[in-house]
Amino acid sequence: MSSLRSPALQRSNTSGTDDTGNTETLGTGNSRPTTNSNQLDRSPDSPCLHSGPNSAAPKIINPAHKPANQQRRSPELRADPHIEVIDRWDEQKANAQSVLPPLAPEIMAESKRWAFYPWRKTVVSILGPRSFRALRLDRNRNLITGSEQDRLGRLKIGVVGLSVGHAVAHMLATQGLCGTLRLADLDTLEVSNLNRVPATVFDLGVNKATVAARRIAELDPYLPVEVNTSGLSAAAMDAFLDGLDILVEECDSLDMKVGVRLAARARHIPVLMATSDRGLVDIERFDMDPSRPILHGLLGDIDLDELSGLSNREKLPYILRLFDIQGLSTRSAASLVEIEQTLATWPQLASEVSLGATAVCEAVRRIGLNEPLASGRVRIDVGQALDRVAEPAPHDESSPSGADCAMAAEPPESAAHLIVAAAANRAPSAANNQPWHIESDPNSVTIELSTEHVATLDVDYRASAVAVGAAWFNARVAAAKHGVLGPADIAGHGHRLSAAVKLADGGDPNLARLYEPMWLRETNRHRGAAVALEDGVAASLEAVAAAEGARLQLLTGADEIADVASIFAASDRVRYLTQHMHAEMLSEIRWPTTDSMESGIDMRSLEMDRWELTGFNIARRPDVIRKLAEWEAGAGLGNYTRARICASSGFGVVSIQGDTLADYARGGSAMEAVWITAQHLGLAVQPLAPVFLYARNDDELRGLSPDFAAHLGSLQERLRALTHTRADESHVLLFRFSHAPKTSVRSLRRSLGTVSAAAMTGSG
């Protein structure tokens, strides 16, 4: 802490006076990216290159402007053998060129500047003001967004007391939490300050406010810093507080603590204070409540005059009232007994000072951005937190068990109608939700659409209808294999849909040959490799789709596949950023150690590498997703799907004419035929359904995601154009085909008995 008792105030605004009487700019302009760069380059002409002992401002030289004083100054600096010249501008420029997204051309076009630091006798090349600020604060994003940084860059913050206040002021500048800093302290730096003030022996004997200002100037030569080295008298208080948005008080003078608060309260300026013991922070929102008592009323009605000139021992009763003796750390409380006995004053640690600065900076950020922050007191006790150290919960990285992975090629020997029903139950469905009821007897197998497992993406039950159609195809394949394939049809009206296979003597060799491949069909989400499709594969798949009354459009060009990947990545981003769809997506994932695996998607089947799994675990957090949506960010949320589509040998779209549930079911039958055939031909197959797949109008798009409806409509149009889909056709499902190893684990199904029992009891 520092004393501030002098009757005089040296008011500098954006300029100060050094010991030679020369006016100097203390920081040469606003640090906001939107500021006119010419304003940032103004540096007053000075007849002398060397400033006095309290100089705290760099001289900014812009050779591109070349006013008369700078034309003279630049050669003088280079010619002076006592001045060191450091030029690393090319490295800074290259660093700025690496920023993502790229900085605007007009920012990158800023010319080189030079910053002359008289106290170091050094001149350093620097980027222009906007490019320097953008690059210096780039690593703040997205912890502080660009727009938030601009808002914070308009704050004027005063810091009174530059021992503890040094750490606060420097951290405020480092994080870009202010546009102007105003520092006040009358004391000079002593050796005993170096346990907590981040200065050096070169700074001994220099005013503490000047030391802090110099360190900030070497961090950011463009940030305006106003220095008061003469203390704050009552007469000088008005000038210091004028225009401040926030005041940080860190002095050890009780009368000054009270005086600055009375003055700040009269001007509705919030006051922050960090006390270096167990992370104690005080917040007084005089901007919100100018009638609240100063220091939370802990000192009661006190006469300011009686606090002036007290010795350390005489201050103790007030300190104990102010800081609560029971709340002090044991070591601090015991040390108070030793003041003026074995201790000259109360002890402080640099770690506690830094912790307090961290807390004050967070409070400044909240006030500057109008985020909630009440008046009051809080302790951020690191020692207490370390007392609660515990082992972290282990990650479950168990590999799939053989029991989970294994699945018989067909069920054990049983009646034909049970085998046909089991085959139907093995069909794929969106998120493996199995939206069907299956009834079977020796004469028929019937699959009815069930609405009990519907999700947002299943617009008007169209995805469920596709699944019913796939189950119907499987039933026909099994019936054909066992020679009991009779008439089969699909019937639907409104939201009712039924697909039946009559069991009678009969067969179909084209269907029967797919029986074993049907049981082996799986979703393969390995990234795979984009090996070209063999001759004849495309024609075979197109023929299979056509045989079921649908059309397969196959894309194999690298540019086409890249376009598809960008559409799906954008769709995935919308799914993550739309709250209800994000929640549904997570509810579909099954974790082997905690969840039943008979429905949903086994986490292991996503085939994520460690990096992807880490990203997914982050994206599972609703708070993270809300923040990304707020920032209009999250482009990386689609990288998982983008990477897999880009590694594809081909991309297929199954389309059907018509738009009724029966039409979608017929399309589902074709989809299953293509899938089984493609895998039988040696391809790894992954079905893909963008968010908008089953939406057919603007109202349905708004039902999916009100905030992204227009964007989804645009993506849908792009995909239909890219896949040459006709106006009378409906997309059924999309596939990526690749060459990849077998899937790690196959999805399971609810037991056929459960599915049939549900039908018998009439549920759904």
Side-chain angles (χ1 to χ4, degrees):
M1 297 184 182
S2 302
S3 299
L4 287 158
R5 295 183 294 274
S6 174
L9 169 71
Q10 290 185 344
R11 172 68 173 164
S12 61
N13 196 11
T14 55
S15 64
T17 304
D18 65 22
D19 287 358
T20 65
N22 299 317
T23 300
E24 63 175 357
T25 299
L26 302 183
T28 50
N30 193 311
S31 61
R32 292 181 59 221
T34 54
T35 302
N36 186 313
S37 62
N38 291 334
Q39 294 176 328
L40 295 171
D41 288 322
R42 288 203 296 265
S43 182
D45 191 12
S46 172
C48 178
L49 293 176
H50 305 282
S51 300
N54 283 323
S55 169
K59 317 289 186 180
I60 305 298
I61 303 168
N62 182 0
H65 290 171
K66 295 184 179 178
N69 67 308
Q70 292 189 4
Q71 289 178 355
R72 181 179 72 252
R73 182 178 297 164
S74 183
E76 287 183 32
L77 290 172
R78 288 185 174 276
D80 191 331
H82 301 292
I83 292 177
E84 181 181 5
V85 177
I86 300 174
D87 186 1
R88 306 185 77 90
W89 187 83
D90 289 340
E91 295 175 19
Q92 297 174 46
K93 189 74 171 179
N95 194 189
Q97 290 169 338
S98 69
V99 171
L100 293 176
L103 298 178
E106 62 270 20
I107 294 178
M108 290 300 298
E110 287 182 322
S111 60
K112 178 191 291 189
R113 270 67 160 179
W114 294 90
F116 173 53
Y117 295 92
W119 58 92
R120 285 194 177 272
K121 294 183 172 59
T122 301
V123 62
V124 182
S125 63
I126 54 174
L127 295 170
R130 290 182 293 171
S131 50
F132 181 87
R133 175 174 168 79
L135 179 59
R136 191 180 78 77
L137 299 178
D138 183 61
R139 291 291 295 273
N140 282 5
R141 302 181 304 141
N142 286 319
L143 302 178
I144 301 174
T145 67
S147 61
E148 289 173 339
Q149 201 81 70
D150 283 343
R151 289 171 61 188
L152 294 166
R154 291 190 285 268
L155 294 178
K156 284 189 175 182
I157 301 176
V159 182
V160 179
L162 271 300
S163 289
V164 172
H166 182 127
V168 174
H170 190 268
M171 194 173 292
L172 288 169
T174 302
Q175 288 188 203
L177 300 182
C178 56
T180 300
L181 274 172
R182 194 172 291 167
L183 312 180
D185 201 312
L186 61 84
D187 286 345
T188 58
L189 189 75
E190 300 173 345
V191 173
S192 62
N193 300 134
L194 294 180
N195 78 315
R196 63 197 185 281
V197 177
T200 72
V201 293
F202 293 97
D203 301 311
L204 295 176
V206 179
N207 175 269
K208 290 180 180 178
T210 299
V211 171
R214 287 178 175 179
R215 187 162 174 246
I216 291 167
E218 293 176 10
L219 166 77
D220 186 345
Y222 294 112
L223 179 65
V225 181
E226 304 168 11
V227 177
N228 173 288
T229 61
S230 301
L232 295 179
S233 66
M237 193 74 73
D238 283 346
F240 185 82
L241 295 179
D242 182 43
L244 288 187
D245 296 296
I246 299 170
L247 176 66
V248 179
E249 183 276 302
E250 297 293 350
C251 57
D252 61 3
S253 172
L254 282 175
D255 57 330
M256 185 56 63
K257 285 184 180 293
V258 172
V260 296
R261 280 171 172 78
L262 291 172
R265 183 176 66 177
R267 294 163 179 78
H268 300 185
I269 299 172
V271 178
L272 306 173
M273 177 178 69
T275 303
S276 308
D277 183 72
R278 295 183 60 212
L280 184 64
V281 178
D282 286 280
I283 301 159
E284 297 170 89
R285 296 299 303 270
F286 298 128
D287 55 326
M288 298 171 60
D289 182 9
S291 65
R292 68 175 285 110
I294 64 168
L295 291 167
H296 318 298
L298 294 173
L299 293 183
D301 295 327
I302 191 167
D303 185 353
L304 186 58
D305 292 336
E306 72 179 77
L307 297 176
S308 180
L310 296 178
S311 68
N312 286 335
R313 177 170 288 276
E314 291 169 333
K315 294 175 185 176
L316 275 179
Y318 298 100
I319 291 173
L320 296 181
R321 288 169 60 186
L322 187 57
F323 296 116
D324 177 19
I325 187 63
Q326 300 305 321
L328 291 176
S329 66
T330 302
R331 289 175 182 263
S332 290
S335 296
L336 292 180
V337 179
E338 294 299 300
I339 290 178
E340 296 186 359
Q341 301 298 318
T342 61
L343 294 174
T345 186
W346 41 82
Q348 293 174 290
L349 295 176
S351 57
E352 283 283 356
V353 169
S354 297
L355 176 62
T358 300
V360 168
C361 284
E362 172 60 13
V364 166
R365 189 194 66 80
R366 291 190 178 201
I367 293 172
L369 298 178
N370 293 319
E371 293 183 1
L373 182 67
S375 293
R377 171 173 285 180
V378 66
R379 286 192 183 276
I380 306 168
D381 192 334
V382 174
Q384 191 175 74
L386 291 176
D387 288 339
R388 300 193 300 268
V389 168
E391 291 288 347
H395 292 290
D396 179 19
E397 296 183 352
S398 57
S399 59
S401 68
D404 284 338
C405 294
M407 181 167 292
E410 61 180 297
E413 288 188 17
S414 59
H417 71 279
L418 295 179
I419 294 176
V420 172
N425 196 44
R426 184 60 201 154
S429 56
N432 192 26
N433 66 349
Q434 304 158 56
W436 49 62
H437 292 150
I438 300 174
E439 298 183 54
S440 68
D441 59 43
N443 298 314
S444 67
V445 173
T446 302
I447 306 117
E448 294 185 347
L449 185 148
S450 167
T451 60
E452 62 186 298
H453 303 295
V454 69
T456 299
L457 300 190
D458 188 6
V459 181
D460 210 28
Y461 308 112
R462 292 169 189 138
S464 293
V466 171
V468 168
W472 182 65
F473 181 82
N474 281 6
R476 290 163 55 215
V477 167
K481 175 66 176 180
H482 290 82
V484 292
L485 178 60
D489 64 358
I490 296 174
H493 179 72
H495 290 157
R496 299 182 65 85
L497 178 67
S498 176
V501 177
K502 299 295 184 181
L503 303 182
D505 289 340
D508 183 328
N510 290 327
L511 290 176
R513 67 181 176 82
L514 296 178
Y515 183 70
E516 285 78 15
M518 175 200 68
W519 289 107
L520 297 175
R521 182 207 54 77
E522 62 187 16
T523 296
N524 194 319
R525 299 184 181 90
H526 281 294
R527 185 172 300 193
V531 179
L533 297 178
E534 295 181 3
D535 293 342
V537 168
S540 296
L541 297 179
E542 290 167 355
V544 167
E548 293 295 315
R551 184 171 73 93
L552 174 68
Q553 176 69 33
L554 197 60
L555 306 178
T556 57
D559 290 342
E560 292 176 316
I561 290 176
D563 286 345
V564 170
S566 69
I567 293 171
F568 271 82
S571 171
D572 276 7
R573 173 180 175 270
V574 171
R575 190 178 187 191
Y576 272 99
L577 296 184
T578 302
Q579 184 176 352
H580 63 277
M581 286 198 288
H582 178 253
E584 282 185 358
M585 177 179 65
L586 296 182
S587 72
E588 295 166 355
I589 302 298
R590 300 291 184 267
W591 298 84
T593 57
T594 58
D595 296 329
S596 168
M597 308 304 292
E598 63 180 10
S599 65
I601 299 173
D602 190 320
M603 181 64 205
R604 297 166 296 182
S605 73
L606 298 181
E607 312 293 0
M608 290 182 172
D609 59 30
R610 289 182 181 272
W611 173 253
E612 290 170 332
L613 183 57
T614 298
F616 178 74
N617 282 327
I618 293 172
R620 289 169 63 191
R621 291 176 49 178
D623 60 323
V624 170
I625 293 302
R626 285 193 298 271
K627 185 58 66 175
L628 289 172
E630 177 187 325
W631 292 341
E632 298 181 356
L637 296 171
N639 285 348
Y640 170 85
T641 301
R642 183 197 300 274
R644 279 153 178 76
I645 293 177
C646 287
S648 301
S649 303
F651 184 85
V653 183
V654 176
S655 302
I656 193 81
Q657 286 188 322
D659 59 7
T660 67
L661 291 187
D663 294 326
Y664 277 98
R666 281 187 284 272
S669 178
M671 174 273 295
E672 179 75 335
V674 169
W675 191 339
I676 294 169
T677 302
Q679 186 172 312
H680 186 51
L681 292 173
L683 296 175
V685 183
Q686 180 183 354
L688 294 166
V691 168
F692 53 78
L693 181 61
Y694 299 113
R696 299 191 58 84
N697 54 55
D698 291 344
D699 286 340
E700 291 179 345
L701 289 170
R702 282 190 290 271
L704 290 170
S705 179
D707 293 338
F708 293 98
H711 182 46
L712 290 176
S714 174
L715 294 175
Q716 188 177 58
E717 291 176 5
R718 283 177 57 194
L719 183 62
R720 291 182 68 88
L722 186 62
T723 56
H724 308 290
T725 304
R726 296 190 293 265
D728 62 344
E729 289 182 317
S730 299
H731 284 171
V732 175
L733 198 64
L734 302 95
F735 293 110
R736 58 174 289 261
F737 304 114
S738 66
H739 293 77
K742 286 184 64 62
T743 187
S744 298
V745 57
R746 298 179 66 197
S747 59
L748 304 180
R749 297 290 185 273
R750 300 185 189 95
S751 68
L752 186 59
T754 301
V755 174
S756 299
M760 292 173 64
T761 58
S763 64

